[in-house]
């Protein structure tokens, strides 16, 4: 008899986006003449930039000629891409990460989820609330939790509430975690962590032999130079942190797929006898067993992001999204909303007025302004009373949406 992995039975049904879809469809069916503006799901809308597209095409053409055709590539990623990443994303900023410590993959969603596999089931995991749902669900799948409780928290997970009271950066937990998921700039709150804040976490991880799983998917959106773009800007982080980065939001690769994980050679985790082991070695072992590399044209396209023209073009797209964020922030501020984020991240996190619940606000904005956002409570209990607007939208739609929200009663 085939038995299932029963940890999967603990998972709560993916509720947030299906429920948003259900309510939107219901509204559309009842109001077929209304034009809906979607500012909910965190997906990009601008196309690949010309320099990236050109490299992508070249890569495809190379695959069509016997002299340049490539079969399986290195599982870790082609050296040309890993070198481009190391030099441009790290060494150029004074961070000493060699190409050998970079492992290319087809997405940070997979990486942040799969990484759980190389850590034992007895590890205690700390995650923020609200949170990117992947961290929690993959913690459950890998058998590190008990059942889901009525408040939506899984037993055995250390939840760290992030609210306006702590500036959306969590306090150090009272119970000691082994693995700590941090995401800055943050999805969903759009807020950032200062150098001081991250130093607190690196020191804590060093004292406790914990590992920080640092999701930097939105680092390219940082506009304030005092905010760290990488966890490795913090002294001592190489011994306690894994960094996840993706071309998805940085360069519009959500449908093209390329990302990477940085695991410094110095990073160690322990066996039950207390012996130290290289985490990079374990991850490479997993990666090369279960993954056969990102397609060559895609890696070529990703490397083009680091050419001078590629950098310039990508920056313009990011500036377009960040101008959307500015418009949203200022428009919502003007009509009396308290707004967080949207300065160094493409998300604007709005506090509803008068203690209105996230879903009530969702219904109001949908029904009266025909605009779709994301209820904060869908990302965790501490998101209740907040609402997320994504800046990954068309400018005209952003302007129209803000006008409609201003005209709400
Ligand atoms: C979008 C996003 C990613 C990127 O995922 P990919 O699989 O690389 O597309 C990673 N982390 C967070 C928090 C995100 O919002």
């Amino acid at each position: 008899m085939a038995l299932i992995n029963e940890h999967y039975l603990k998972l709560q049904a993916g509720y947030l986006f299906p429920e948003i879809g259900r309510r939107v469809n219901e509204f559309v069916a009842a109001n077929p003449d209304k034009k809906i503006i979607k500012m909910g799901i965190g997906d990009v809308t601008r196309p690949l930039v010309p320099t990236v597209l050109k490299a992508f095409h070249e890569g495809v053409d190379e695959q069509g000629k016997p002299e340049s055709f490539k079969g399986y590539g290195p599982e870790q990623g082609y050296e040309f891409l890993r070198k481009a990443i190391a030099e441009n994303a790290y060494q150029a900023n004074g961070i000493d990460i060699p190409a050998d410590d970079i492992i290319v993959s087809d997405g940070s969603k997979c990486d942040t989820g799969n990484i759980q596999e190389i850590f034992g089931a007895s590890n205690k995991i700390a995650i923020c609330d609200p949170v990117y749902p992947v961290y929690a669900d993959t913690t459950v799948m890998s058998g590190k939790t008990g059942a889901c409780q009525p408040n939506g928290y899984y037993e055995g997970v250390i939840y760290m509430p992030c609210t306006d009271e702590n500036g959306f950066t969590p306090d150090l937990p009272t119970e000691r975690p082994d693995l700590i998921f941090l995401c800055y700039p943050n999805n969903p709150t759009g807020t950032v962590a200062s150098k001081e804040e991250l130093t607190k976490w690196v020191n804590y991880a060093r004292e406790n032999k914990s590992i920080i799983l640092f999701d930097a998917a939105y680092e390219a959106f940082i506009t304030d130079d005092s905010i760290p773009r990488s966890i490795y800007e913090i002294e001592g982080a190489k011994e306690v942190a894994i960094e996840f980065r993706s071309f998805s939001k940085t360069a519009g690769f959500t449908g093209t797929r390329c990302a990477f994980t940085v695991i410094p050679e110095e990073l160690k985790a322990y066996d039950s006898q207390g012996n130290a082991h290289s985490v990079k070695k374990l991850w490479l072992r997993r990666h090369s067993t279960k993954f056969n590399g990102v397609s060559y044209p895609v890696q070529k396209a990703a490397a083009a992001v680091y050419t001078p023209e590629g950098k310039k073009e990508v920056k313009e797209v990011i500036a377009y999204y960040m101008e959307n964020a500015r418009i949203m922030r200022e428009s919502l501020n003007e009509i009396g909303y308290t707004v967080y984020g949207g300065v160094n991240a493409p998300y604007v996190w709005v506090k509803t007025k008068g203690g209105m619940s996230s879903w009530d606000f969702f219904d109001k904005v949908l029904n009266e302004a025909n605009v779709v956002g994301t209820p904060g409570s869908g990302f965790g209990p501490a998101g209740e009373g907040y609402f997320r607007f994504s800046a990954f939208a068309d400018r005209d739609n952003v302007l129209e949406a803000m006008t409609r929200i201003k005209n709400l009663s």
Side-chain angles (χ1 to χ4, degrees), residues 182-346:
L182 294 177
C183 173
Y184 287 105
N186 189 258
N187 176 13
T189 67
T191 56
V192 288
S194 65
K195 191 154 196 179
E196 196 183 14
E197 197 62 41
L198 291 179
T199 303
K200 174 185 93 178
W201 282 101
V202 167
N203 291 342
Y204 178 80
R206 291 174 68 87
E207 281 157 25
N208 293 289
K209 290 198 160 111
S210 313
I211 290 178
I212 296 171
L213 303 168
F214 192 75
D215 187 344
Y218 295 96
E219 66 65 43
F221 295 83
I222 294 175
T223 50
D224 176 349
D225 283 336
S226 71
I227 303 296
R229 285 156 195 270
S230 164
I231 190 75
Y232 305 119
E233 287 181 41
I234 312 299
E235 206 181 316
K238 284 172 89 176
E239 283 143 52
V240 290
I242 295 175
E243 181 160 293
F244 302 95
R245 287 211 195 176
S246 172
F247 293 93
S248 282
K249 314 301 162 38
T250 307
F253 272 55
T254 52
T256 302
R257 312 306 302 145
C258 198
F260 58 93
T261 296
V262 181
I263 309 188
E265 185 62 50
E266 293 90 331
L267 184 71
K268 302 280 189 266
Y270 302 86
D271 63 25
S272 49
Q273 260 72 55
N275 304 306
H277 295 268
S278 157
V279 174
K280 182 174 91 176
K281 215 168 142 189
L282 285 182
W283 180 244
L284 276 174
R285 186 71 176 83
R286 186 222 167 262
H287 199 68
S288 54
T289 300
K290 296 197 175 182
F291 188 66
N292 247 340
V294 174
S295 101
Y296 170 72
V298 168
Q299 292 194 59
K300 226 181 126 134
V305 169
Y306 297 113
T307 59
E309 314 80 62
K311 281 183 194 167
K312 192 173 145 274
E313 292 163 7
V314 160
K315 242 188 191 152
E316 281 163 13
V317 175
I318 289 173
Y320 177 93
Y321 291 135
M322 293 314 290
E323 174 64 9
N324 286 347
R326 186 194 65 77
I327 293 167
M328 288 152 60
R329 238 177 39 237
E330 289 181 4
S331 310
L332 293 161
N333 255 324
E334 248 170 59
I335 50 172
Y337 284 101
T338 308
V339 179
Y340 302 94
V343 179
N344 295 291

Side-chain angles (χ1 to χ4, degrees), residues 20 62 90 159 178 220 273 280 356 386 399 403:
I20 291 174
E62 283 176 57
Y90 293 101
Y159 287 90
D178 304 298
Q273 260 72 55
K280 182 174 91 176
M356 189 185 261
Y386 292 93
L399 292 167
T403 304

Side-chain angles (χ1 to χ4, degrees), residues 85-166:
I85 293 168
E87 285 167 11
N88 293 281
Y90 293 101
Q91 292 159 14
N93 301 326
I95 304 168
D96 176 29
I97 294 286
D100 270 355
D101 290 357
I102 290 164
I103 301 107
V104 175
S105 78
D106 60 354
S108 281
K109 186 191 216 179
C110 335
D111 288 345
T112 52
N114 290 332
I115 198 83
Q116 300 258 11
E117 226 181 272
I118 62 167
F119 295 105
S122 62
N123 281 294
K124 274 262 172 192
I125 316 283
I127 58 177
C128 293
D129 167 22
V131 72
Y132 180 55
V134 175
Y135 314 150
D137 285 1
T138 57
T139 299
V140 176
M141 290 172 176
S142 64
K144 299 185 184 79
T145 76
C148 190
Q149 296 161 317
N151 65 356
Y153 279 180
Y154 289 98
E155 241 164 36
V157 174
I158 301 168
Y159 287 90
M160 306 184 292
C162 296
T163 61
D164 49 356
E165 276 142 48
N166 57 21

